Amino acid sequence: MSLPGMQPVRAGYLPGIDPAEVDWQLLRFDHAAAPLQVAVPVLTAAQMHALAGRVRQAAALHLRPMPVAQIIDVIDSAIARLLDRAGPWRQRAEALLPAVSGYDAEMVRLGLTGFFKTFRAPQLRRFVAEDFANPLLLDGFQPAAKGGAVRAFGPDLLVHSWAGNVPALALWSFVCGLLVKAGNIGKLPSAEPLFAGWFAQLLAEEHPPLADCFAVVWWKGAGGEDADALYAQADTVLAYGGNDALDAIRRRLPVTTRFLPHGHKLGFGLVGAGALDTLEAPPLARLAAWDVMRYDQQGCYSPHVFYVQRGGAVSPRAFADYLAAELANLHRRFPRRPLPVDEAAAVAHWRQGIEWKALSAAPGAPPGAQLIGAPADAWSVAYADTLGPLAPTALQRTVQVVAVDALDDVLPVVARHRPFLQTAGVAAAPEELHRLAALLGAAGVTRISAIGAMSTPEAGWHHDGRFNLFDLVRMVEIEASAETAAEPFARYAD
């Protein structure tokens, strides 16, 4: 039941289902001055089964025959409306996404603009070309180099399980599903249950024949019979979240269902001595601080550690001081979101662990990690003179700076965590960048970016080293033998 004076915001997108026939559960968000309630749909197994069938059938009828170029134009039109700050959809996003996420409103505004720009038509064309040298493979059979012809078919029904740690994150996989012409049903995250439903409504407005080709649903936790009814009909499941949650999804899927999980990752940066002159180091620290600040390190690409090489004009310790000062400046512009009790305790525990190591260092030994800043600060930088194991921080703008004699020394340390590696930011000369990239790739890193761009992946990036679109499709071949055998049956054969 809604609290007095609060009008719940309805989430989800359920084509063909009367809202009056749906049970709605209220999620309460207390981040803003005025609490917000969001009503999320709770479907029965029978409703979920019928919805999956409707989406599958509509996608085969309306989405699959559309040329990819036309799909891109529809998405581009929807994104243009989301970029229009005077438009109702963008105003709704700017008003409500900070309220459900707790992130600073200006951070969300800038983040949405940068994020949406990666889904304009030119970027989407690059996105498709990154996985398909000939994008027409998605529209029909194309000549194969070995003879015959080949075509890419997306799944009849693609189910998404979205994470809510970053606002609007569902857009990535939703767009991927559209580009491969799949029927799409996404499960909303409780942490951010609004954007995916809005985008579905926008698409339906832009191109009404698509209105039944996707749906946005919700269930609590791992779900029950409702989730089982949907998973039973899925050809492919694309899921984001913690490793335990992903394992739980994997175990309940039929063995024939393709499962594409994206779990927790650890990002880190490498700063070479050549990047540490007195002119370049301060702006580089500013860029590093932006990577730490964006959405309080909640992205899988966010940095936890910066390894800084000794020997530059600016020492690693001085770089840590610059980073701390920039985080302090950014906090004044983009305050960190209020932390719930468990997250605040995790930050305090991490800081105490750093302080304890410093106090317990043996006499004459290096002091170990040292904290820069006061306990009351909404950010934390820990500086260490010795290289230790790669470990996650407590997030929430907590980061380590570790001094090293050579960047090569970092490689065996991070390689021990290969399953959790994804993004590495590198500040080094071109020759050094390419040399390090080869070593980082061998260690398990799948994305190498500039520092400052770690938390803003470009369109078409290979998430976790995988193909965003190619992994979703199955290839259908007409062998040359079939074409040859067909020749005698042609009318002109006589």
Side-chain angles (χ1 to χ4, degrees):
M1 179 177 293
S2 178
L3 297 179
M6 296 177 61
Q7 182 65 36
V9 178
R10 183 167 287 180
Y13 179 79
L14 308 172
I17 299 180
D18 185 347
E21 298 177 355
V22 175
D23 288 332
W24 297 87
Q25 179 167 327
L26 294 180
L27 305 179
R28 179 183 167 114
F29 298 89
D30 294 315
H31 300 299
L36 173 70
Q37 287 194 117
V38 176
V40 290
V42 181
L43 302 185
T44 66
Q47 287 173 321
M48 193 73 80
H49 180 85
L51 181 63
R54 185 185 187 94
V55 168
R56 181 192 293 268
Q57 183 177 13
L61 185 62
H62 299 292
L63 185 56
R64 181 157 291 162
M66 287 179 66
V68 168
Q70 185 183 3
I71 297 172
I72 287 175
D73 288 341
V74 172
I75 297 170
D76 181 67
S77 296
I79 293 296
R81 293 173 65 181
L82 287 168
L83 283 166
D84 178 11
R85 293 200 65 208
W89 289 101
R90 179 56 184 259
Q91 290 180 353
R92 187 180 306 177
E94 290 190 14
L96 295 182
L97 291 181
V100 299
S101 67
Y103 293 121
D104 175 72
E106 182 68 3
M107 183 201 299
V108 171
R109 182 186 73 79
L110 292 175
L112 290 178
T113 296
F115 188 48
F116 293 154
K117 285 164 61 177
T118 64
F119 296 95
R120 299 308 307 267
Q123 286 71 30
L124 291 176
R125 294 188 190 104
R126 296 188 189 103
F127 204 163
V128 175
E130 188 67 33
D131 282 16
F132 297 97
N134 181 2
L136 293 177
L137 284 168
L138 291 162
D139 293 337
F141 283 97
Q142 300 296 310
K146 64 179 179 58
V150 63
R151 180 178 178 179
F153 283 86
D156 293 340
L157 184 61
L158 172 62
V159 171
H160 312 254
S161 180
W162 290 313
N165 48 330
V166 173
L169 192 59
L171 189 57
W172 272 113
S173 69
F174 201 155
V175 166
C176 289
L178 294 170
L179 291 175
V180 299
K181 308 182 183 184
N184 291 268
I185 298 183
K187 186 261 181 182
L188 289 167
S190 295
E192 197 279 88
L194 292 174
F195 180 81
W198 294 340
F199 189 62
Q201 294 174 55
L202 255 175
L203 291 169
E205 289 182 9
E206 287 298 319
H207 193 69
L210 294 182
D212 288 0
C213 296
F214 35 75
V216 179
V217 302
W218 180 88
W219 57 71
K220 184 176 181 180
E225 293 181 353
D226 49 356
D228 289 335
L230 181 57
Y231 288 143
Q233 294 202 58
D235 300 293
T236 301
V237 174
L238 180 58
Y240 302 82
N243 292 344
D244 290 342
L246 294 175
D247 185 59
I249 294 173
R250 185 198 307 272
R251 285 187 279 107
R252 68 193 305 175
L253 294 179
V255 69
T256 54
T257 302
R258 183 182 300 185
F259 182 53
L260 302 172
H262 293 285
H264 289 322
K265 300 296 177 183
L266 279 172
F268 62 91
L270 299 176
V271 180
L276 292 171
D277 64 38
T278 54
L279 292 178
E280 297 294 337
L284 181 61
R286 185 176 306 118
L287 293 171
W290 274 88
D291 276 331
V292 174
M293 179 276 299
R294 285 191 187 99
Y295 294 125
D296 299 346
Q297 295 170 286
Q298 293 297 313
C300 58
Y301 28 66
S302 299
H304 293 251
V305 187
F306 288 102
Y307 297 100
V308 183
Q309 187 178 15
R310 297 183 179 94
V314 173
S315 69
R317 172 59 199 239
F319 182 83
D321 289 334
Y322 282 132
L323 177 59
E326 293 296 341
L327 286 172
N329 289 335
L330 286 174
H331 176 66
R332 286 189 282 271
R333 183 179 176 188
F334 307 104
R336 189 185 68 186
R337 65 186 176 93
L339 300 184
V341 173
D342 58 334
E343 293 179 358
V347 171
H349 180 74
W350 181 81
R351 289 181 59 94
Q352 289 167 2
I354 298 295
E355 293 170 340
W356 177 251
K357 288 179 182 178
L359 291 172
S360 60
Q370 301 170 305
L371 282 171
I372 301 172
D377 291 332
W379 50 269
S380 298
V381 176
Y383 173 75
D385 259 326
T386 56
L387 182 61
L390 174 64
T393 65
L395 307 180
Q396 323 306 339
R397 309 189 192 187
T398 60
V399 65
Q400 303 176 69
V401 174
V402 179
V404 295
D405 292 324
L407 294 181
D408 289 35
D409 296 341
V410 176
L411 275 301
V413 172
V414 299
R416 299 187 189 108
H417 303 274
R418 185 186 188 92
F420 300 99
L421 300 183
Q422 183 204 78
T423 296
V426 177
E431 298 83 357
E432 182 73 349
L433 167 64
H434 286 275
R435 189 187 70 82
L436 287 170
L439 298 173
L440 289 167
V445 170
T446 59
R447 173 175 173 255
I448 299 163
S449 77
I451 290 175
M454 294 180 68
S455 51
T456 55
E458 59 189 16
W461 74 300
H462 294 91
H463 192 177
D464 293 342
R466 305 281 294 272
F467 289 94
N468 292 290
L469 303 179
F470 200 75
D471 277 0
L472 296 176
V473 304
R474 56 187 175 87
M475 305 305 293
V476 178
E477 294 181 312
I478 302 174
E479 292 191 350
S481 63
E483 292 183 328
T484 301
E487 286 294 325
F489 309 123
R491 291 183 178 179
Y492 55 75
D494 294 337

